[in-house]
Amino acid sequence: MKSKITDELLRQIEIAAMVLHQADFYSEFDLAEHFGNSVQSIRRDMGKLRNMGIEIHSSKGTLSIDKSINLNTLNDILCTYLSLSNNETIRNLKLIQNKFGDNIIYYFVKLIKAINEKRFVIFTYKVYYSEGPIERTILPLTLSRIGKTIYLIGYENDNPNKIRHYLLERIIKFDFPNIKSKIKNSPDI
């Protein structure tokens, strides 16, 4: 079972992801309702995010993050969220950040939630042997690190006989339909 500190840190990262993905959309009250916490807890979380170097502020009742998150802070946040050692660097992070901008945290959060809830992910992927990008639908099983590169591993088309891995840096676009897999048990990878 996760500790309270871990739950708080994960909530703070998710708050940053949501606000980066939709600036000037959420209020402190919206987030309190979403997470089932008090507005005071959300304000404390925002203070802790500012201490991490994330400039989150409320203006006219909605939240925004004033500037892009620097690569070192982004690496620390994602390593924490992925339960990696903070002193490690994700090698392909700059390529992924260039592709998705500040929405990168949002996509990592959505991927982890899709893995935990056994929900499908649809993405467009660039392969070297193909003329154009291809679209894949997978049941994500895990994000795995080989060396300093992160891969998305999952069942293609919900077929346990088709386990595939994809370099995150080659993914062009994500879609997260709210569709659960029919597979009850998946391997721990």
Side-chain angles (χ1 to χ4, degrees), residues 5-17 20 41-57 65 67-81 86 105:
I5 294 170
T6 302
D7 289 341
E8 287 175 6
L9 183 57
L10 292 177
R11 183 179 64 239
Q12 291 159 12
I13 293 170
E14 288 187 42
I15 288 169
L20 282 167
S41 291
I42 298 301
R43 288 179 181 152
R44 279 191 296 274
D45 290 338
M46 290 171 47
K48 290 176 183 174
L49 285 168
R50 284 190 288 274
N51 290 339
M52 288 183 221
I54 300 171
E55 299 297 321
I56 187 168
H57 297 284
I65 294 178
K67 60 182 180 177
S68 290
I69 299 171
N70 75 49
L71 197 59
N72 290 334
T73 302
L74 181 61
N75 188 77
D76 290 346
I77 289 169
L78 293 178
C79 283
T80 300
Y81 199 80
N86 271 349
I105 299 172

Side-chain angles (χ1 to χ4, degrees), residues 2 6-18 34-35 52 73-86 90 104-117 143 150:
K2 290 186 247 174
T6 302
D7 289 341
E8 287 175 6
L9 183 57
L10 292 177
R11 183 179 64 239
Q12 291 159 12
I13 293 170
E14 288 187 42
I15 288 169
M18 291 170 69
H34 176 80
F35 289 105
M52 288 183 221
T73 302
L74 181 61
N75 188 77
D76 290 346
I77 289 169
L78 293 178
C79 283
T80 300
Y81 199 80
L82 296 172
S83 299
L84 302 173
S85 172
N86 271 349
I90 301 170
I104 187 171
I105 299 172
Y106 172 79
Y107 290 124
F108 270 92
V109 167
K110 293 288 278 185
L111 279 171
I112 296 297
K113 286 186 172 212
I115 291 166
N116 291 340
E117 297 170 2
L143 288 167
I150 297 178

